[in-house]
Amino acid sequence: MTDDILTRIEGHAGFISLNRPGAIHALTLPMVHAMTEVLLKWKDDDAVKCIIIDHAEGRGFCAGGDIAFLRNSAINDNGESGRKFFHDEYQLNHLLFTYPKPVVAFMDGITMGGGVGISQPARFRVATENTRFAMPETGIGLFPDVGGGWYLSRLEGRVGQFLALTGARLDGAECLELGLATHYLSAETLADAKARIAQEDVERIDGLLGTLSAKVPEARIVGNLFDINRHFASDRFEDILASLEDDDSDWAMKELATLRTKSPQTCKVALRQLATSAGLDDFADNMAMEYRIGSHVLTRPDFAEGVRAVIVDKDNDPKWNPATAEGVSEELLDAIFAPLPEAEEWKPL
């Protein structure tokens, strides 16, 4: 086990607490393995009737995966260790999605990328006034993975496409409004909620969280849904850019400026990913698709360059390749989505 994951059984609840506060609890491969190991152990333990996933301290639930490690892999071992990370992380995501016992995720803080991947499969997803939810991968040349294709494609209207392309950050009220969270609690009531879940009948978790729910602020995104559905209606990135260019409103200009900073390759990958995922019936098929994408984009220029610009040099001035939406061909997308050799394809645990 690793000290970056703290586990305990309290009452009939198995607690998994992320404990890497210096990195906002970003997931490393040992953390993924520790979570998988304890979930498999508790799956067959009759004393554990539900799972609670939270974070030990600090301002984040989970800021994502260890992208510095992934970049290092792309540069130094042709993506081999990075693909291992994706493979095992996606097995954890699928294990949570299919887990036979109720899982409660407390998204009390920054919930991005990998943090979305371990919270969205949970039956109960608790947002608070501290929640900051996003899939910001277009800004680093990756793609909205860890099941992002499945979750985002199933949101109402075109909100999923909007979130995937822009990396927009949602607060707790917006998460509840969109169904990304099932409950909204004040952060100060979380300790009481966890203690009661650990002691009371697991059939009552929904009602218990409902009883403890706080007054929900207005969800700001509601006011933008009409514009989101109108401008992000197409699965062609060029169409979305053109639609925003034809609108001189402050909102459209702001979103257009945001999209101009994103990796065109990632934006096109995300649109195809969500369109494909919407037609899938099995979460495992989605994860197999995402593993193919991850295996291919990891060693393409945009990922190493995106992480350099955002994390390493922090100049926030990535030089994308291809540099424009028009430069990202259908042939390139076909190659990114192409099947892997049979022995390398992703499979669930």
Side-chain angles (χ1 to χ4, degrees), residues 203-293:
E203 298 298 324
R204 296 194 59 246
I205 293 175
D206 189 24
L208 174 62
L209 291 171
T211 301
L212 293 172
S213 289
K215 185 177 188 299
V216 186
E218 184 180 349
R220 293 169 306 166
I221 196 167
V222 171
N224 297 325
L225 290 178
F226 176 80
D227 287 326
I228 288 171
N229 290 334
R230 180 162 60 102
H231 288 303
F232 288 77
S234 177
D235 285 329
R236 282 188 77 246
F237 188 42
E238 292 91 337
D239 293 346
I240 292 171
L241 294 173
S243 181
L244 290 166
E245 284 169 355
D246 286 343
D247 183 342
D248 61 2
S249 70
D250 289 346
W251 183 87
M253 288 190 286
K254 174 174 153 291
E255 299 306 335
L256 179 63
T258 296
L259 291 181
R260 294 281 187 220
T261 69
K262 306 301 185 183
S263 157
Q265 170 192 287
T266 305
C267 290
K268 286 202 167 184
V269 165
L271 286 169
R272 184 186 283 202
Q273 173 196 357
L274 267 61
T276 304
S277 184
L280 299 177
D281 297 322
D282 187 340
F283 187 67
D285 292 338
N286 178 83
M287 298 318 291
M289 171 184 70
E290 292 189 4
Y291 184 68
R292 291 171 177 175
I293 300 170

Coordinates of all heavy atoms in Angstrom, one line a residue, residues 203-293:
E203 N -29.5 1.2 2.8 CA -30.7 1.5 2.0 C -31.2 2.9 2.2 O -32.0 3.4 1.4 CB -31.8 0.5 2.3 CG -31.5 -1.0 1.9 CD -31.2 -1.2 0.5 OE1 -31.9 -0.5 -0.4 OE2 -30.3 -2.0 0.2
R204 N -30.7 3.5 3.3 CA -31.2 4.9 3.6 C -30.2 6.0 3.2 O -30.4 7.1 3.6 CB -31.4 5.0 5.1 CG -32.5 4.0 5.6 CD -33.0 4.4 7.0 NE -33.5 5.8 7.1 CZ -32.9 6.8 7.8 NH1 -31.8 6.5 8.5 NH2 -33.4 8.0 7.8
I205 N -29.1 5.6 2.5 CA -28.1 6.6 2.1 C -28.7 7.8 1.4 O -28.5 9.0 1.7 CB -26.9 6.0 1.3 CG1 -26.1 5.0 2.2 CG2 -26.0 7.1 0.8 CD1 -25.1 4.3 1.4
D206 N -29.6 7.5 0.4 CA -30.2 8.6 -0.4 C -31.0 9.5 0.5 O -30.8 10.7 0.4 CB -31.0 7.9 -1.5 CG -31.5 8.9 -2.5 OD1 -30.9 10.0 -2.7 OD2 -32.6 8.7 -3.1
G207 N -31.8 8.9 1.3 CA -32.7 9.8 2.2 C -31.8 10.5 3.2 O -32.2 11.7 3.5
L208 N -30.8 9.9 3.7 CA -29.9 10.6 4.7 C -29.2 11.8 4.1 O -29.2 12.9 4.7 CB -28.9 9.6 5.2 CG -27.8 10.1 6.1 CD1 -28.3 10.6 7.4 CD2 -26.8 9.0 6.4
L209 N -28.7 11.6 2.9 CA -28.0 12.8 2.2 C -29.1 13.8 1.8 O -28.8 15.0 1.9 CB -27.3 12.3 0.9 CG -26.1 11.4 1.2 CD1 -25.6 10.8 -0.2 CD2 -25.0 12.2 1.8
G210 N -30.3 13.4 1.5 CA -31.3 14.4 1.2 C -31.7 15.2 2.4 O -31.9 16.4 2.3
T211 N -31.8 14.5 3.6 CA -32.1 15.2 4.8 C -31.0 16.2 5.2 O -31.4 17.3 5.7 CB -32.2 14.2 6.0 OG1 -33.2 13.2 5.6 CG2 -32.6 14.8 7.3
L212 N -29.8 15.9 4.9 CA -28.7 16.8 5.3 C -28.4 17.9 4.2 O -27.5 18.7 4.4 CB -27.4 16.0 5.5 CG -27.4 15.1 6.7 CD1 -26.2 14.2 6.8 CD2 -27.5 15.9 8.0
S213 N -29.1 17.8 3.1 CA -28.8 18.7 2.0 C -28.9 20.2 2.4 O -29.8 20.6 3.2 CB -29.7 18.5 0.8 OG -29.4 17.2 0.2
A214 N -28.1 21.0 1.8 CA -28.1 22.4 2.0 C -28.9 23.1 0.9 O -29.2 22.6 -0.1 CB -26.6 23.0 2.0
K215 N -29.2 24.4 1.2 CA -29.9 25.2 0.2 C -28.9 25.4 -1.0 O -27.8 25.8 -0.8 CB -30.2 26.6 0.8 CG -31.1 27.5 -0.2 CD -31.5 28.8 0.5 CE -32.4 29.6 -0.3 NZ -31.9 29.9 -1.6
V216 N -29.4 25.1 -2.2 CA -28.5 25.1 -3.4 C -28.6 26.5 -4.0 O -29.6 27.0 -4.3 CB -29.0 24.1 -4.4 CG1 -28.0 24.0 -5.5 CG2 -29.1 22.7 -3.7
P217 N -27.4 27.1 -4.2 CA -27.4 28.4 -4.9 C -27.8 28.2 -6.4 O -27.9 27.1 -6.9 CB -25.9 28.8 -4.9 CG -25.2 27.9 -3.9 CD -26.0 26.7 -3.8
E218 N -28.1 29.4 -7.0 CA -28.5 29.3 -8.4 C -27.4 28.8 -9.3 O -26.2 29.1 -9.1 CB -28.8 30.7 -8.9 CG -29.3 30.8 -10.3 CD -29.7 32.2 -10.7 OE1 -29.6 33.1 -9.9 OE2 -29.9 32.4 -11.9
A219 N -27.7 27.8 -10.2 CA -26.7 27.3 -11.1 C -26.5 28.2 -12.3 O -27.4 28.3 -13.1 CB -27.2 25.9 -11.5
R220 N -25.4 28.8 -12.4 CA -25.2 29.9 -13.4 C -25.3 29.3 -14.8 O -25.7 30.0 -15.7 CB -23.8 30.5 -13.2 CG -23.6 31.3 -11.9 CD -22.2 31.6 -11.7 NE -21.3 30.4 -11.7 CZ -20.0 30.4 -11.8 NH1 -19.4 31.5 -11.9 NH2 -19.4 29.2 -11.8
I221 N -24.9 28.1 -15.0 CA -24.8 27.5 -16.4 C -26.2 27.5 -17.0 O -26.3 27.5 -18.2 CB -24.2 26.1 -16.4 CG1 -23.8 25.7 -17.8 CG2 -25.1 25.1 -15.7 CD1 -22.8 24.6 -17.9
V222 N -27.3 27.4 -16.2 CA -28.6 27.3 -16.7 C -28.9 28.5 -17.7 O -29.5 28.3 -18.7 CB -29.7 27.3 -15.6 CG1 -31.1 27.5 -16.1 CG2 -29.6 26.0 -14.8
G223 N -28.4 29.7 -17.4 CA -28.6 30.8 -18.2 C -27.9 30.8 -19.5 O -28.2 31.6 -20.4
N224 N -26.9 29.8 -19.6 CA -26.2 29.7 -20.9 C -26.6 28.5 -21.7 O -26.0 28.3 -22.8 CB -24.7 29.6 -20.6 CG -24.1 30.9 -19.9 OD1 -24.6 32.0 -20.2 ND2 -23.2 30.7 -19.0
L225 N -27.5 27.7 -21.3 CA -27.8 26.4 -21.9 C -28.3 26.7 -23.4 O -28.0 25.9 -24.3 CB -28.8 25.6 -21.1 CG -28.3 25.0 -19.8 CD1 -29.4 24.3 -19.1 CD2 -27.1 24.1 -20.1
F226 N -29.1 27.7 -23.6 CA -29.6 28.0 -24.9 C -28.4 28.2 -25.9 O -28.4 27.6 -27.0 CB -30.6 29.2 -24.9 CG -31.0 29.5 -26.3 CD1 -32.1 28.8 -26.9 CD2 -30.4 30.6 -27.0 CE1 -32.5 29.2 -28.2 CE2 -30.8 30.9 -28.3 CZ -31.9 30.2 -28.9
D227 N -27.5 29.1 -25.5 CA -26.3 29.4 -26.3 C -25.4 28.2 -26.5 O -24.9 28.0 -27.6 CB -25.5 30.5 -25.7 CG -26.3 31.9 -25.8 OD1 -26.9 32.1 -26.8 OD2 -26.1 32.7 -24.9
I228 N -25.3 27.4 -25.4 CA -24.4 26.2 -25.5 C -25.0 25.2 -26.6 O -24.3 24.7 -27.5 CB -24.3 25.5 -24.2 CG1 -23.4 26.3 -23.2 CG2 -23.8 24.1 -24.3 CD1 -23.4 25.9 -21.8
N229 N -26.3 25.0 -26.5 CA -27.0 24.0 -27.4 C -27.0 24.5 -28.8 O -26.9 23.7 -29.8 CB -28.4 23.7 -26.9 CG -28.5 22.9 -25.6 OD1 -27.6 22.2 -25.3 ND2 -29.5 23.1 -24.9
R230 N -27.0 25.8 -29.0 CA -27.0 26.4 -30.3 C -25.6 26.4 -31.0 O -25.5 25.9 -32.1 CB -27.6 27.9 -30.3 CG -27.6 28.6 -31.6 CD -28.5 29.8 -31.5 NE -28.0 30.7 -30.5 CZ -27.4 31.9 -30.8 NH1 -27.2 32.2 -32.1 NH2 -27.0 32.7 -29.9
H231 N -24.6 26.9 -30.2 CA -23.3 27.0 -30.8 C -22.5 25.7 -30.8 O -21.6 25.5 -31.7 CB -22.5 28.1 -30.0 CG -23.0 29.5 -30.3 ND1 -23.1 30.0 -31.5 CD2 -23.4 30.4 -29.4 CE1 -23.5 31.3 -31.4 NE2 -23.8 31.5 -30.2
F232 N -22.8 24.8 -29.9 CA -22.0 23.5 -29.8 C -22.8 22.4 -30.4 O -22.6 21.2 -30.1 CB -21.6 23.3 -28.4 CG -20.5 24.2 -27.9 CD1 -20.8 25.5 -27.5 CD2 -19.2 23.8 -27.8 CE1 -19.9 26.4 -27.1 CE2 -18.2 24.6 -27.4 CZ -18.5 25.9 -27.0
A233 N -23.8 22.7 -31.3 CA -24.7 21.7 -31.8 C -24.0 20.6 -32.7 O -24.4 19.5 -32.8 CB -25.8 22.4 -32.6
S234 N -23.0 21.0 -33.4 CA -22.3 20.2 -34.4 C -21.2 19.3 -33.8 O -20.6 19.6 -32.8 CB -21.7 21.0 -35.5 OG -21.0 20.2 -36.4
D235 N -21.0 18.1 -34.4 CA -19.9 17.3 -34.0 C -18.6 17.7 -34.8 O -17.6 17.0 -34.7 CB -20.2 15.8 -34.2 CG -21.1 15.3 -33.1 OD1 -21.0 15.8 -32.0 OD2 -22.0 14.4 -33.4
R236 N -18.7 18.7 -35.7 CA -17.6 19.2 -36.4 C -17.0 20.4 -35.7 O -17.7 21.4 -35.5 CB -17.9 19.6 -37.9 CG -18.1 18.4 -38.8 CD -18.2 18.9 -40.3 NE -17.0 19.4 -40.9 CZ -16.7 20.6 -41.2 NH1 -17.6 21.6 -41.0 NH2 -15.5 20.9 -41.7
F237 N -15.8 20.4 -35.3 CA -15.2 21.5 -34.6 C -15.2 22.8 -35.4 O -15.5 23.8 -34.8 CB -13.7 21.1 -34.2 CG -13.1 22.1 -33.2 CD1 -13.8 22.6 -32.2 CD2 -11.7 22.4 -33.4 CE1 -13.1 23.5 -31.3 CE2 -11.1 23.3 -32.6 CZ -11.8 23.9 -31.5
E238 N -15.0 22.7 -36.7 CA -15.0 23.9 -37.5 C -16.4 24.5 -37.5 O -16.4 25.8 -37.5 CB -14.7 23.5 -39.0 CG -13.2 23.1 -39.2 CD -13.0 21.6 -39.1 OE1 -13.9 20.9 -38.4 OE2 -12.1 21.0 -39.6
D239 N -17.4 23.8 -37.4 CA -18.8 24.3 -37.4 C -19.0 25.1 -36.1 O -19.7 26.2 -36.0 CB -19.8 23.2 -37.5 CG -19.9 22.5 -38.8 OD1 -19.2 23.1 -39.8 OD2 -20.5 21.5 -38.9
I240 N -18.5 24.6 -35.0 CA -18.6 25.2 -33.7 C -17.9 26.5 -33.7 O -18.4 27.6 -33.2 CB -18.1 24.3 -32.5 CG1 -19.1 23.1 -32.4 CG2 -18.0 25.0 -31.2 CD1 -18.5 22.0 -31.5
L241 N -16.7 26.5 -34.2 CA -15.9 27.8 -34.2 C -16.6 28.8 -35.1 O -16.7 30.0 -34.7 CB -14.5 27.5 -34.8 CG -13.6 26.6 -33.9 CD1 -12.3 26.3 -34.7 CD2 -13.2 27.3 -32.6
A242 N -17.1 28.4 -36.3 CA -17.8 29.3 -37.2 C -19.1 29.9 -36.5 O -19.4 31.1 -36.7 CB -18.2 28.6 -38.5
S243 N -19.8 29.0 -35.8 CA -21.0 29.5 -35.1 C -20.7 30.6 -34.1 O -21.4 31.6 -34.0 CB -21.7 28.3 -34.4 OG -22.9 28.7 -33.8
L244 N -19.7 30.4 -33.3 CA -19.3 31.4 -32.3 C -18.8 32.6 -33.0 O -19.0 33.7 -32.5 CB -18.2 30.8 -31.4 CG -18.7 29.7 -30.4 CD1 -17.5 29.0 -29.8 CD2 -19.6 30.3 -29.3
E245 N -18.1 32.5 -34.1 CA -17.5 33.7 -34.8 C -18.7 34.5 -35.3 O -18.5 35.8 -35.5 CB -16.7 33.2 -36.0 CG -15.3 32.7 -35.6 CD -14.5 32.1 -36.7 OE1 -15.1 31.9 -37.8 OE2 -13.4 31.7 -36.5
D246 N -19.8 33.9 -35.6 CA -21.0 34.7 -36.2 C -21.8 35.4 -35.1 O -22.8 36.1 -35.4 CB -21.9 33.8 -37.0 CG -21.3 33.4 -38.3 OD1 -20.3 34.1 -38.7 OD2 -21.7 32.4 -38.9
D247 N -21.4 35.2 -33.8 CA -22.1 35.8 -32.7 C -21.2 36.8 -32.0 O -20.1 36.4 -31.5 CB -22.5 34.7 -31.8 CG -23.4 35.2 -30.6 OD1 -23.4 36.4 -30.3 OD2 -24.0 34.3 -29.9
D248 N -21.6 38.1 -32.0 CA -20.7 39.1 -31.4 C -21.0 39.3 -29.9 O -20.6 40.3 -29.3 CB -20.7 40.4 -32.2 CG -22.1 41.0 -32.2 OD1 -23.1 40.5 -31.6 OD2 -22.3 42.1 -32.8
S249 N -21.8 38.4 -29.3 CA -22.1 38.6 -27.8 C -20.8 38.4 -27.0 O -19.9 37.7 -27.5 CB -23.2 37.6 -27.4 OG -22.7 36.3 -27.4
D250 N -20.8 38.9 -25.8 CA -19.6 38.8 -24.9 C -19.4 37.3 -24.6 O -18.3 36.8 -24.6 CB -19.9 39.5 -23.6 CG -19.8 41.0 -23.8 OD1 -19.3 41.5 -24.9 OD2 -20.2 41.7 -22.9
W251 N -20.5 36.5 -24.4 CA -20.4 35.1 -24.1 C -19.7 34.3 -25.2 O -18.7 33.6 -25.0 CB -21.7 34.5 -23.8 CG -21.6 33.1 -23.3 CD1 -21.5 32.6 -22.1 CD2 -21.7 31.9 -24.2 NE1 -21.4 31.2 -22.1 CE2 -21.6 30.8 -23.3 CE3 -21.9 31.7 -25.5 CZ2 -21.6 29.5 -23.8 CZ3 -21.9 30.4 -26.0 CH2 -21.8 29.3 -25.2
A252 N -20.2 34.6 -26.4 CA -19.6 33.8 -27.6 C -18.2 34.2 -27.8 O -17.3 33.3 -28.1 CB -20.5 34.1 -28.8
M253 N -17.9 35.5 -27.7 CA -16.5 35.9 -27.9 C -15.5 35.3 -26.9 O -14.4 34.9 -27.2 CB -16.4 37.4 -27.9 CG -17.0 38.0 -29.2 SD -16.6 39.8 -29.4 CE -17.7 40.5 -28.1
K254 N -16.0 35.2 -25.6 CA -15.2 34.6 -24.6 C -15.0 33.1 -24.8 O -13.8 32.6 -24.7 CB -15.9 34.8 -23.2 CG -15.3 34.1 -22.0 CD -16.0 34.5 -20.7 CE -15.9 33.5 -19.7 NZ -16.6 32.2 -20.0
E255 N -16.0 32.4 -25.2 CA -15.9 31.0 -25.5 C -15.0 30.7 -26.7 O -14.2 29.8 -26.7 CB -17.2 30.3 -25.6 CG -18.1 30.4 -24.4 CD -17.4 29.9 -23.1 OE1 -16.5 29.1 -23.2 OE2 -17.8 30.4 -22.0
L256 N -15.1 31.6 -27.7 CA -14.3 31.4 -28.9 C -12.8 31.7 -28.5 O -12.0 30.9 -29.0 CB -14.8 32.4 -30.0 CG -14.0 32.4 -31.3 CD1 -14.1 31.1 -32.0 CD2 -14.4 33.5 -32.2
A257 N -12.6 32.7 -27.7 CA -11.2 33.0 -27.3 C -10.6 31.8 -26.5 O -9.5 31.4 -26.7 CB -11.1 34.2 -26.5
T258 N -11.5 31.2 -25.7 CA -11.0 30.0 -25.0 C -10.7 28.8 -25.9 O -9.6 28.2 -25.8 CB -12.2 29.5 -24.0 OG1 -12.4 30.5 -23.0 CG2 -11.8 28.2 -23.3
L259 N -11.6 28.6 -26.9 CA -11.3 27.4 -27.8 C -10.1 27.7 -28.6 O -9.4 26.7 -29.0 CB -12.5 27.2 -28.7 CG -13.8 26.7 -28.0 CD1 -14.9 26.5 -29.0 CD2 -13.5 25.4 -27.3
R260 N -9.7 29.0 -28.9 CA -8.5 29.3 -29.7 C -7.3 28.8 -29.0 O -6.2 28.7 -29.6 CB -8.5 30.8 -30.0 CG -9.6 31.2 -30.9 CD -9.3 30.9 -32.4 NE -10.3 31.5 -33.3 CZ -10.8 30.9 -34.3 NH1 -10.4 29.6 -34.6 NH2 -11.7 31.5 -35.1
T261 N -7.3 28.7 -27.6 CA -6.1 28.3 -26.9 C -6.0 26.8 -26.8 O -5.0 26.3 -26.3 CB -6.2 28.9 -25.5 OG1 -7.2 28.2 -24.7 CG2 -6.5 30.4 -25.5
K262 N -7.0 26.0 -27.2 CA -7.0 24.6 -27.0 C -6.4 23.8 -28.1 O -6.3 24.3 -29.2 CB -8.5 24.1 -26.8 CG -9.3 24.8 -25.7 CD -8.6 24.7 -24.3 CE -9.5 25.3 -23.2 NZ -8.8 25.3 -21.9
S263 N -6.0 22.6 -27.8 CA -5.4 21.7 -28.9 C -6.5 21.4 -29.9 O -7.5 20.7 -29.5 CB -4.8 20.5 -28.2 OG -4.8 19.4 -29.2
P264 N -6.3 21.8 -31.2 CA -7.3 21.4 -32.2 C -7.5 19.9 -32.3 O -8.6 19.4 -32.5 CB -6.8 22.0 -33.5 CG -5.9 23.1 -33.0 CD -5.3 22.7 -31.7
Q265 N -6.3 19.2 -32.2 CA -6.4 17.7 -32.2 C -7.3 17.2 -31.1 O -8.2 16.3 -31.4 CB -5.0 17.1 -32.1 CG -5.0 15.6 -31.9 CD -3.6 15.1 -31.5 OE1 -2.7 15.1 -32.3 NE2 -3.5 14.7 -30.2
T266 N -7.1 17.6 -29.9 CA -7.9 17.1 -28.8 C -9.3 17.5 -28.9 O -10.2 16.7 -28.6 CB -7.3 17.7 -27.4 OG1 -5.9 17.4 -27.3 CG2 -8.1 17.1 -26.2
C267 N -9.6 18.7 -29.4 CA -11.0 19.1 -29.6 C -11.7 18.1 -30.6 O -12.9 17.7 -30.3 CB -11.1 20.5 -30.0 SG -10.7 21.7 -28.8
K268 N -11.1 17.8 -31.7 CA -11.7 16.9 -32.7 C -11.8 15.5 -32.1 O -12.8 14.8 -32.4 CB -10.9 16.9 -34.0 CG -11.1 18.2 -34.8 CD -10.8 18.0 -36.2 CE -11.3 19.2 -37.1 NZ -11.0 18.9 -38.5
V269 N -10.8 15.1 -31.4 CA -10.8 13.7 -30.7 C -12.0 13.7 -29.8 O -12.8 12.7 -29.8 CB -9.5 13.4 -30.0 CG1 -9.7 12.2 -29.0 CG2 -8.4 13.1 -31.0
A270 N -12.2 14.7 -29.0 CA -13.3 14.7 -28.0 C -14.6 14.6 -28.6 O -15.5 13.9 -28.1 CB -13.2 16.0 -27.1
L271 N -14.8 15.4 -29.7 CA -16.1 15.4 -30.4 C -16.4 14.0 -31.0 O -17.5 13.5 -30.8 CB -16.2 16.4 -31.5 CG -16.3 17.9 -31.0 CD1 -16.1 18.9 -32.1 CD2 -17.7 18.1 -30.3
R272 N -15.4 13.4 -31.6 CA -15.7 12.0 -32.1 C -15.9 11.0 -30.9 O -16.7 10.1 -31.0 CB -14.5 11.6 -33.0 CG -14.8 10.2 -33.6 CD -13.6 9.6 -34.4 NE -13.4 10.2 -35.7 CZ -12.8 9.6 -36.7 NH1 -12.3 8.3 -36.5 NH2 -12.6 10.2 -37.9
Q273 N -15.1 11.2 -29.9 CA -15.2 10.3 -28.7 C -16.6 10.3 -28.1 O -17.2 9.3 -27.9 CB -14.1 10.7 -27.7 CG -14.2 10.0 -26.3 CD -13.4 10.8 -25.3 OE1 -12.8 11.8 -25.6 NE2 -13.5 10.3 -24.0
L274 N -17.1 11.5 -27.9 CA -18.5 11.6 -27.3 C -19.5 11.1 -28.3 O -20.5 10.4 -27.8 CB -18.7 13.1 -26.9 CG -18.4 13.5 -25.5 CD1 -16.9 13.3 -25.2 CD2 -18.8 14.9 -25.2
A275 N -19.4 11.4 -29.5 CA -20.4 10.9 -30.5 C -20.4 9.4 -30.6 O -21.4 8.7 -30.6 CB -20.1 11.5 -31.9
T276 N -19.2 8.8 -30.5 CA -19.1 7.3 -30.5 C -19.6 6.7 -29.2 O -20.4 5.8 -29.2 CB -17.6 6.9 -30.7 OG1 -17.1 7.5 -31.9 CG2 -17.5 5.4 -30.8
S277 N -19.2 7.3 -28.1 CA -19.6 6.8 -26.8 C -21.2 6.8 -26.6 O -21.7 5.9 -26.0 CB -19.0 7.6 -25.6 OG -19.3 7.0 -24.4
A278 N -21.8 7.8 -27.1 CA -23.3 7.9 -27.0 C -24.0 6.7 -27.6 O -25.1 6.4 -27.1 CB -23.8 9.2 -27.7
G279 N -23.3 6.0 -28.5 CA -24.0 4.9 -29.1 C -23.6 3.5 -28.5 O -24.0 2.5 -29.0
L280 N -22.8 3.6 -27.4 CA -22.3 2.4 -26.8 C -23.2 2.0 -25.6 O -23.8 2.8 -25.0 CB -20.9 2.5 -26.2 CG -19.8 2.9 -27.2 CD1 -18.5 3.1 -26.5 CD2 -19.7 1.7 -28.3
D281 N -23.4 0.7 -25.4 CA -24.3 0.2 -24.3 C -23.5 -0.3 -23.1 O -24.1 -0.6 -22.1 CB -25.1 -1.0 -24.9 CG -26.0 -0.6 -26.0 OD1 -26.6 0.5 -25.9 OD2 -26.2 -1.4 -26.9
D282 N -22.2 -0.5 -23.3 CA -21.4 -1.1 -22.2 C -20.2 -0.2 -21.9 O -19.4 0.2 -22.7 CB -20.8 -2.5 -22.7 CG -20.1 -3.2 -21.6 OD1 -19.7 -2.6 -20.6 OD2 -20.0 -4.5 -21.7
F283 N -20.1 0.2 -20.6 CA -19.0 1.1 -20.1 C -17.7 0.5 -20.5 O -16.7 1.3 -20.8 CB -19.2 1.3 -18.6 CG -18.2 2.3 -18.1 CD1 -18.3 3.7 -18.4 CD2 -17.2 2.0 -17.2 CE1 -17.5 4.6 -17.9 CE2 -16.3 2.9 -16.7 CZ -16.5 4.2 -17.0
A284 N -17.5 -0.8 -20.5 CA -16.2 -1.5 -20.8 C -15.8 -1.1 -22.2 O -14.7 -0.9 -22.5 CB -16.3 -3.0 -20.6
D285 N -16.8 -1.1 -23.1 CA -16.5 -0.8 -24.5 C -16.0 0.7 -24.6 O -15.1 1.0 -25.4 CB -17.8 -0.9 -25.4 CG -18.2 -2.4 -25.6 OD1 -17.3 -3.3 -25.3 OD2 -19.3 -2.6 -25.9
N286 N -16.6 1.6 -23.8 CA -16.1 3.0 -23.8 C -14.7 3.0 -23.3 O -13.9 3.7 -23.9 CB -17.0 3.8 -22.9 CG -16.6 5.2 -22.8 OD1 -16.9 6.0 -23.6 ND2 -15.8 5.5 -21.7
M287 N -14.4 2.3 -22.3 CA -13.0 2.3 -21.7 C -12.0 1.7 -22.7 O -10.9 2.2 -22.8 CB -12.9 1.6 -20.4 CG -13.8 2.3 -19.3 SD -13.8 4.1 -19.3 CE -12.1 4.4 -18.7
A288 N -12.4 0.7 -23.4 CA -11.5 0.1 -24.5 C -11.2 1.1 -25.5 O -10.1 1.3 -26.0 CB -12.2 -1.1 -25.1
M289 N -12.3 1.9 -25.9 CA -12.1 3.0 -26.9 C -11.1 4.0 -26.4 O -10.2 4.5 -27.1 CB -13.4 3.6 -27.3 CG -13.3 4.8 -28.1 SD -14.8 5.7 -28.5 CE -15.3 6.4 -26.9
E290 N -11.4 4.4 -25.1 CA -10.5 5.5 -24.6 C -9.1 5.1 -24.4 O -8.2 5.9 -24.5 CB -11.1 6.0 -23.2 CG -12.5 6.7 -23.5 CD -13.0 7.4 -22.2 OE1 -12.4 7.4 -21.2 OE2 -14.1 7.9 -22.3
Y291 N -8.9 3.8 -24.1 CA -7.5 3.3 -24.0 C -6.8 3.3 -25.4 O -5.6 3.6 -25.4 CB -7.5 1.9 -23.4 CG -6.1 1.3 -23.2 CD1 -5.3 1.9 -22.2 CD2 -5.6 0.3 -24.0 CE1 -4.0 1.5 -22.0 CE2 -4.2 -0.1 -23.8 CZ -3.5 0.5 -22.9 OH -2.2 0.0 -22.7
R292 N -7.5 3.0 -26.4 CA -6.9 3.1 -27.8 C -6.5 4.6 -28.0 O -5.4 4.8 -28.5 CB -7.9 2.7 -28.8 CG -8.2 1.2 -28.8 CD -9.4 0.9 -29.8 NE -9.7 -0.5 -29.9 CZ -10.7 -1.1 -30.5 NH1 -11.5 -0.3 -31.2 NH2 -10.9 -2.4 -30.6
I293 N -7.4 5.5 -27.7 CA -7.1 6.9 -27.9 C -5.9 7.3 -27.1 O -5.0 7.9 -27.6 CB -8.3 7.8 -27.5 CG1 -9.6 7.5 -28.3 CG2 -8.0 9.3 -27.7 CD1 -10.8 8.2 -27.8

